[in-house]
Amino acid sequence: MFSKDIYIKRRAQLAGSVEKGIILLLGNSEAAANYPSNTYKFRQDSTFLYYIGLNEPDLAAVIDTESGEEVLFGNNVDIDDIIWMGPQPSVDEKGSSVGISRTAPLGELKNYLENIRRQGRKIHYLPPYRNHNKILLNNLLGIPTDSLKANASVELIKAVVAMRLIKGSEELKEIEHACNIGYAMHYTAMKLAKLGMTEQELVGVMEGIAASEGSMVSFPTILSQQGQTLHNHKHDGILTEGRLIVIDAGAETNMNYTSDFTRTLPSSGKFTSQQKDIYRIVAAANNLAVEMAKPGLSYKDVHLAASKVLAEGLKSIGLMKGDTEEAVAAGAHALFMPHGLGHNMGLDVHDMEDLGEDYVGYDDTYKRSSQFGLASLRMGKMLQPGHVITVEPGIYFIPALIEKWKEEKINTPFINFDKLKDYYTFGGIRLEDDIVITETGCRLLGAKRLPITVEDVEREMAK
Ligand code: GLY
Ligand code: MN
């Protein structure tokens, strides 16, 4: 936990940004995996962590934006809990550790909120993403579960997004720590990868590092020689000569700040010349985005500039053709990179996706495009100092997508479909780093950058 002053200040700022009413923040509960007492690893709600700081289940808090009153709702443990879980701080002690002096049992939350509703005052809540909290909110507010998202407070969403998007120095320290754990995970995989070993062995070692140095992984590790599938969580392959291993993985610190890196390794330690060509194009797009990202540019601008590097590179090896500007404007490069350049990152690896990506990555000036590829860009708006974003260009050869475009004659002036046959078993390449926007540009996060050039990757793998 950070010092309690940080949480007090954050809550005061939030209360000042929401006009009238009560802000209701729900923490998460334990979630059963296969029977009630065998739970998944507990993960607190990120907004609850940001404002309340308490990393335990079954808590809720309210903030009265007019009187300033704050109440923490939770239950004290009984002797049975103490026998199984050991002594626990009381709810009063928990509240006081984060600057909240008034507490009440969780069962009183419903009465408290009914009283507010009787007074005709607004209750601002965030869109719930777990069924437990949907049922709880339905019970507390009487709103049908399928209408909860539509009735969530846009004013509160926008206020939370505005604060959480700009990272404070204490948060950047945690994110740097997550990046350093992420570095160790990836660097170890780079050293360990050997022909004949299973993908699962690499995943196990990487996730073990995340668990031993932090809270856990920031999302289930993506590691596969079938890298043309963007989020491939199957790890049943054996490292085989001539393949590329896409490894997209990150860590969470004990305070739940995240990292997210991707590197693509040659399974044998040596890239083929076809792989080198594609790899260097992706690395150039990554480097350009890192050089370019700064306040005053939108991340959509950076995405499009990186896309031009990809299109230009693909033209240079004969896979694309025509005018680069026109090809990118038409979205032709999205055949090879059907995703966005990156996303915000913080307490969530896709930061605040639960609040609605369009509130996080877009605004009244920057609207999400509906064009294939660009539509998947999670962050499009103007960059500001304190934004933490991933830079993750890629090139993939997805046979089903290539066949579809070919059949439907999509972007035919820009694609050399005939040449693509040679790439149907190529897989994919993605190279991802994490950056923070500064006053004048941006800075890579983490003490050291993972090897990214063809030469450095081959050198590290040979050692
Ligand atoms: N690292 C997974 C993602 O960005 O979606
Ligand atoms: Mn990512």
Side-chain angles (χ1 to χ4, degrees), residues 219 231 248 260-262 342-343 349-350 390 392 430 432 434:
F219 57 97
H231 282 181
D248 183 347
D260 184 8
F261 294 122
T262 309
H343 50 85
V349 73
H350 289 176
T390 66
E392 49 181 309
R430 177 162 65 251
E432 178 176 26
D434 303 333

